[in-house]
Amino acid sequence: MQPLRIAVAGLGTVGSGVVRLLHEQADILAARAGRPLQVVAVGARNRRKQRKIPLGRARWEGEVLDLATASDVDVVVEVIGGSEGAASELVHAAIAAGKHVVTANKALLAHQGADLARRAERAGVALAFEAAVAGGIPVLKALREGLAGNRFSRVYGILNGTCNYILSEMRATGRGFDEVLAEAQAHGYAEADPSFDIDGIDAAHKLAILAGVAFNCAVNFKAVHVEGIRHVSAADITFANELGFRIKLLALASVGANGLEQRVHPCLVPIDTPIAHVDGVFNAVVSEGDFVGRNVFEGRGAGAGPTASAVVADLVDIAAGRRAWAFGVPARDLARLPAAPMRDHVGRCYIRLQVKDRPGVIADLTAILRDEKISIESMLQHGRAVGDEGVPVVLVSHEAREAAMSRALSRIGRLRAVIEPPRMIRIESL
Amino acid sequence: MQPLRIAVAGLGTVGSGVVRLLHEQADILAARAGRPLQVVAVGARNRRKQRKIPLGRARWEGEVLDLATASDVDVVVEVIGGSEGAASELVHAAIAAGKHVVTANKALLAHQGADLARRAERAGVALAFEAAVAGGIPVLKALREGLAGNRFSRVYGILNGTCNYILSEMRATGRGFDEVLAEAQAHGYAEADPSFDIDGIDAAHKLAILAGVAFNCAVNFKAVHVEGIRHVSAADITFANELGFRIKLLALASVGANGLEQRVHPCLVPIDTPIAHVDGVFNAVVSEGDFVGRNVFEGRGAGAGPTASAVVADLVDIAAGRRAWAFGVPARDLARLPAAPMRDHVGRCYIRLQVKDRPGVIADLTAILRDEKISIESMLQHGRAVGDEGVPVVLVSHEAREAAMSRALSRIGRLRAVIEPPRMIRIESL
């Protein structure tokens, strides 16, 4: 049979991995797809860069954008990255030229997912992006096809390996955030500019895509409530442990009476849940379907091999003629779900305060919480204050509305005995 | 578009679940598949049985075998069960009549998988069986499509919910095997005749299918080494815990220099591995791919809802025109891998002996192990013997060849101070 003719745009870690995988596994890929998968062209910003990748007879395309219109190309693999610029132009041009598109670009899909899906459908081409969410875990296919019989009430997971690595290391070593981040940067687990990861943006991109697939809705990245892990301290991790929890950066999406709730923030998760044991650079996604119940999918969330695995799975599907709508249903049928306001979110909270150890402070705190109808499940206070440093006081609340909690924390922060801004981390029962 | 016309053969727990899912989710299924999924006919052994299922306008077919040739049927769903008899006849007849087949029948596939795949291909119809392995976990699709870029070195998992429930309960309550089994039967978690489950046959059926998909090889159920959980005692669970392990019935398949190794038996797994935390009726499958690394898939392994979820996912694929070869590659290309002999297996072992507490017994034991070149990593002995009951002695070996271990255990069992047959449970590092 005719080979599937592939152009790879971008030869960084992921692009090189894709080329290498297609080369090394050529025999099994042809057997599984029913036809060979052949790289006919590649393009990247810098040709001169040394790359030890087996390009075979693939030609070099100086103008990356020309890959979109080359007559000898069936599929464009976009692994340039970024929500705008070259990546976006290339994907639009490829779809317009009637080429299938496989991309690992979560930022692009988070911003333009529904629009690109509509364009691809009109052009009659595939838009595939398994690699954009949870790297090597084939979770989009699982939700879209393998669990197609279910309505999902909730999907959530650990979608950023950098944050998970940092939080795992902080717990394992007892060290603080800044120190572990610096080490992660030295090891290449975190970028020189880590804000995309540690401030939760990357996880939010992935969550918006995941929610689109799970709930057959238009991707709505702007509606994601995002908080990162900069404020998680070694003390929080110690207290969480003592209370029977792990701290994880979770990305959660659920559909309820208020609409679609999407949020990314650090969470305390009970130690006996599967997700509490997903450590280091691993990702995990949990889905809750009405017939199947809970499924957990775990694997490597990033890196050349896992990401290439996901990109190539999409290519095999295209080569084999297996097609699915990008977000599970035709683009015109994608639901436009209202965004559930975060202020209406209800949940338990962990609150850590640094207070001067003097009479009446606990009474003041509890009075404020009582005024907001927030009841306390437990309280921890270790040791006595030395000098003016204060002592940490940790409170665990029963379920409370987010708006009430915000008001209470704001008032607590203004108490004279409270000498640092209160830190709140939500507790997820899962 | 034309509906996909479905006949459901068998209206037990699974068949009823399939009919109910197709009814309750009709709207989303049509949206996701691009056409309605319609039950046009059903058949079962006993029409008179009360079944509260929404059959709509589906007709009752008195002769189940006639569903295979009915002109108004596109797909036959076989959920009768059993490797021979009605189920086998129906599947053969349906394929011969050019109908797609979706089945949850692991016994049938374990015995006839490669042959049925070949027949289905020749007839140009789908043979789909996601429900046959790990119930609601879409793991066959994940291995076959989502991870199609990888060569697998190993797949393993917890594939029998009954055994996992019994072992989890034994650990949680400290009770013995017989007592927990009786309770599981009372709760409906175990069959009246539980041998298929507790002797490992059911897990072996599933493993043979899983290995076929992962390694693109002809299913070879007869080559699976099978041991069940009848001999696992409360004492073993307590000792395992003390040594930092959980006891699980694992099904493992790997490809090495000796060929394909397939085995089902109780294992000690380290507490810090994901699979150690899969409890109760949950199943889990772990795959190890060369590019993607380790993936873990967890979910419910049985029950009406999860099994129906898997059956319907196959139906949606057929309705949407998505096709894949049953075992990942065309049937003629399925590898016929030699079976790696169990006697060549190398691994660590846990050995529990009941010995009379008298001088020299440990020296005798260790001499036998030394003769077989088996070295001991640790030894536990608690308490002293009271009367003639003896005391338990637990040994943990370093890696040893299975044949040497068998010879050693046989000699140890003949020592006069050893008053019960030695119990050996393999340790998997994972």
Side-chain angles (χ1 to χ4, degrees):
Chain A
M1 266 184 83
Q2 289 291 313
L4 181 75
R5 299 168 304 174
I6 300 162
V8 178
L11 289 175
T13 307
V14 177
S16 304
V18 169
V19 172
R20 197 164 66 81
L21 196 164
L22 289 169
H23 176 77
E24 290 183 15
Q25 317 278 58
D27 54 345
I28 56 167
L29 294 174
R32 292 171 181 176
R35 55 198 279 214
L37 275 68
Q38 190 186 335
V39 179
V40 295
V42 299
R45 247 178 319 185
N46 188 349
R47 183 169 191 170
R48 294 215 188 88
K49 212 162 143 186
Q50 281 289 345
R51 297 183 182 90
K52 286 181 189 163
I53 49 174
L55 285 176
R57 282 173 298 176
R59 66 189 161 78
W60 179 272
E61 183 60 70
E63 259 321 314
V64 173
L65 198 56
D66 288 348
L67 293 172
T69 49
S71 61
D72 61 346
V73 169
D74 301 315
V75 193
V76 174
V77 174
E78 184 277 302
V79 282
I80 299 168
S83 63
E84 293 173 4
S88 176
E89 282 168 35
L90 178 72
V91 169
H92 279 273
I95 291 171
K99 313 292 187 194
H100 302 296
V101 170
V102 175
T103 174
N105 191 331
K106 48 245 177 189
L108 179 68
L109 287 156
H111 286 95
Q112 305 185 41
D115 177 53
L116 289 173
R118 193 174 43 81
R119 288 172 190 268
E121 269 175 44
R122 282 197 195 153
V125 298
L127 172 69
F129 44 85
E130 186 64 67
V133 177
I137 311 174
V139 66
L140 299 185
K141 179 179 277 278
L143 296 176
R144 196 195 279 124
E145 303 173 25
L147 301 172
N150 295 272
R151 281 175 226 269
F152 296 101
S153 50
R154 183 162 71 156
V155 287
Y156 62 90
I158 294 171
L159 298 181
N160 184 275
T162 303
C163 289
N164 204 44
Y165 173 82
I166 291 173
L167 293 171
S168 299
E169 279 294 296
M170 286 174 70
R171 190 180 73 80
T173 64
R175 288 181 297 168
F177 174 81
D178 293 327
E179 197 182 337
V180 173
L181 171 61
E183 195 201 62
Q185 287 172 313
H187 281 79
Y189 298 148
E191 305 281 336
D193 176 1
S195 61
F196 237 57
D197 290 313
I198 64 176
D199 292 331
I201 314 295
D202 175 75
H205 284 153
K206 294 165 177 169
L207 179 68
I209 300 166
L210 187 67
V213 171
F215 304 120
N216 301 147
C217 65
V219 175
N220 189 356
F221 166 66
K222 285 182 188 153
V224 183
H225 173 89
V226 189
E227 298 169 33
I229 63 167
R230 286 185 200 264
H231 288 304
V232 177
S233 69
D236 293 324
I237 288 180
T238 305
F239 281 117
N241 206 40
E242 189 172 338
L243 293 162
F245 295 96
R246 293 275 184 272
I247 299 182
K248 296 288 180 190
L249 183 76
L250 291 194
L252 307 102
S254 58
V255 169
N258 287 343
L260 173 64
E261 184 181 86
Q262 299 179 99
R263 52 199 170 95
V264 171
H265 53 71
C267 295
L268 269 67
V269 299
I271 284 177
D272 61 0
T273 54
I275 211 142
H277 299 275
V278 176
D279 281 327
V281 297
F282 277 82
N283 278 197
V285 177
V286 181
S287 63
E288 293 171 356
D290 52 356
F291 274 77
V292 77
R294 186 185 79 195
N295 278 104
V296 185
F297 304 92
E298 188 184 332
R300 288 177 189 279
T307 312
S309 169
V311 167
V312 170
D314 283 341
L315 290 170
V316 170
D317 273 351
I318 291 169
R322 284 191 293 266
R323 294 280 285 278
W325 287 295
F327 296 98
V329 298
R332 65 171 180 280
D333 296 335
L334 290 173
R336 305 213 165 246
L337 300 172
M342 196 62 190
R343 66 178 176 275
D344 293 336
H345 174 74
V346 172
R348 293 162 69 208
C349 290
Y350 155 102
I351 303 159
R352 181 174 55 81
L353 305 167
Q354 194 72 8
V355 300
K356 284 191 198 152
D357 192 11
R358 62 183 185 195
V361 52
I362 300 298
D364 290 346
L365 288 176
T366 49
I368 291 171
L369 292 167
R370 179 205 59 207
D371 291 351
E372 292 292 351
K373 299 188 171 57
I374 296 168
S375 53
I376 297 299
E377 184 186 298
S378 59
M379 187 166 74
L380 292 177
Q381 184 183 347
H382 293 314
R384 311 278 326 234
V386 179
D388 285 340
E389 276 191 14
V391 285
V393 171
V394 166
L395 305 169
V396 172
S397 79
H398 282 291
E399 291 216 324
R401 203 165 149 254
E402 188 88 8
M405 182 59 73
S406 295
R407 285 191 301 267
L409 291 176
S410 165
R411 280 183 63 195
I412 289 171
R414 289 196 300 270
L415 291 175
R416 290 189 58 192
V418 173
I419 57 180
E420 282 180 15
R423 293 290 170 216
M424 182 273 280
I425 306 179
R426 297 176 190 86
I427 299 174
E428 296 295 327
S429 302
L430 306 180
Chain B
M1 266 184 85
Q2 289 289 315
L4 181 75
R5 299 168 304 173
I6 301 162
V8 178
L11 288 176
T13 306
V14 177
S16 303
V18 169
V19 171
R20 196 163 67 80
L21 196 164
L22 289 169
H23 176 76
E24 290 182 15
Q25 317 277 57
D27 54 344
I28 57 167
L29 294 173
R32 291 171 181 176
R35 54 197 280 214
L37 276 68
Q38 189 186 335
V39 179
V40 296
V42 299
R45 246 178 319 183
N46 187 349
R47 185 172 189 168
R48 295 214 188 88
K49 211 161 144 188
Q50 280 290 345
R51 297 183 182 90
K52 285 180 189 163
I53 49 174
L55 284 175
R57 282 174 299 177
R59 67 189 161 78
W60 179 271
E61 183 60 69
E63 253 329 310
V64 172
L65 198 56
D66 288 348
L67 292 172
T69 49
S71 61
D72 62 345
V73 168
D74 301 315
V75 192
V76 173
V77 174
E78 185 275 303
V79 282
I80 299 168
S83 64
E84 293 173 5
S88 177
E89 283 169 35
L90 178 72
V91 168
H92 280 274
I95 291 171
K99 313 291 188 193
H100 303 295
V101 170
V102 175
T103 174
N105 192 331
K106 47 245 177 191
L108 177 69
L109 287 156
H111 285 95
Q112 305 185 40
D115 176 53
L116 289 173
R118 192 175 44 80
R119 288 172 190 268
E121 270 174 45
R122 280 196 196 153
V125 298
L127 173 69
F129 45 86
E130 185 63 69
V133 178
I137 310 175
V139 66
L140 299 185
K141 179 178 277 278
L143 296 176
R144 196 195 280 124
E145 303 173 24
L147 301 173
N150 295 272
R151 282 175 227 270
F152 296 101
S153 50
R154 182 162 71 156
V155 287
Y156 61 90
I158 295 172
L159 298 181
N160 184 275
T162 303
C163 289
N164 205 44
Y165 172 82
I166 291 173
L167 293 171
S168 299
E169 279 293 297
M170 286 174 71
R171 189 180 73 81
T173 64
R175 288 181 297 168
F177 174 80
D178 294 326
E179 197 182 338
V180 172
L181 171 60
E183 195 201 60
Q185 287 172 313
H187 281 79
Y189 297 149
E191 305 281 335
D193 177 1
S195 61
F196 238 57
D197 290 313
I198 64 176
D199 292 332
I201 314 295
D202 174 75
H205 284 154
K206 294 166 178 170
L207 179 67
I209 300 166
L210 187 67
V213 170
F215 304 121
N216 302 146
C217 66
V219 175
N220 189 354
F221 166 66
K222 285 182 187 152
V224 183
H225 172 89
V226 190
E227 298 170 33
I229 62 167
R230 286 185 199 263
H231 288 304
V232 177
S233 69
D236 293 324
I237 289 181
T238 305
F239 282 116
N241 206 39
E242 190 172 337
L243 292 161
F245 295 96
R246 294 275 185 272
I247 299 183
K248 296 287 181 191
L249 182 77
L250 290 194
L252 307 101
S254 58
V255 169
N258 287 342
L260 173 64
E261 185 181 85
Q262 300 178 100
R263 50 198 171 95
V264 171
H265 53 71
C267 294
L268 269 68
V269 298
I271 284 178
D272 60 359
T273 54
I275 211 144
H277 299 276
V278 176
D279 281 326
V281 296
F282 277 81
N283 277 198
V285 177
V286 181
S287 63
E288 292 171 356
D290 53 355
F291 274 76
V292 77
R294 187 184 79 195
N295 278 104
V296 185
F297 304 91
E298 187 184 333
R300 290 177 188 278
T307 312
S309 169
V311 167
V312 170
D314 283 341
L315 290 170
V316 170
D317 273 351
I318 291 170
R322 285 191 292 265
R323 295 281 284 279
W325 287 296
F327 295 98
V329 298
R332 66 172 180 279
D333 296 335
L334 290 173
R336 304 213 165 247
L337 300 173
M342 196 61 191
R343 65 179 178 276
D344 293 336
H345 174 74
V346 173
R348 293 161 69 207
C349 290
Y350 155 103
I351 303 159
R352 180 173 55 81
L353 306 167
Q354 195 72 8
V355 301
K356 285 189 198 152
D357 191 10
R358 62 185 187 195
V361 53
I362 300 297
D364 291 346
L365 289 177
T366 50
I368 291 171
L369 292 167
R370 179 206 58 208
D371 290 351
E372 292 292 350
K373 300 189 172 56
I374 296 168
S375 53
I376 297 299
E377 183 187 298
S378 58
M379 186 167 75
L380 291 178
Q381 184 185 347
H382 293 312
R384 311 279 323 237
V386 179
D388 284 341
E389 277 191 13
V391 284
V393 171
V394 167
L395 305 168
V396 172
S397 79
H398 281 292
E399 292 217 322
R401 203 166 150 255
E402 188 86 10
M405 183 59 72
S406 296
R407 286 191 300 267
L409 291 177
S410 164
R411 279 183 63 196
I412 289 171
R414 290 196 298 272
L415 290 175
R416 290 191 57 195
V418 173
I419 56 180
E420 282 179 15
R423 294 290 169 215
M424 181 273 280
I425 306 179
R426 297 175 190 85
I427 298 174
E428 296 296 327
S429 302
L430 307 181

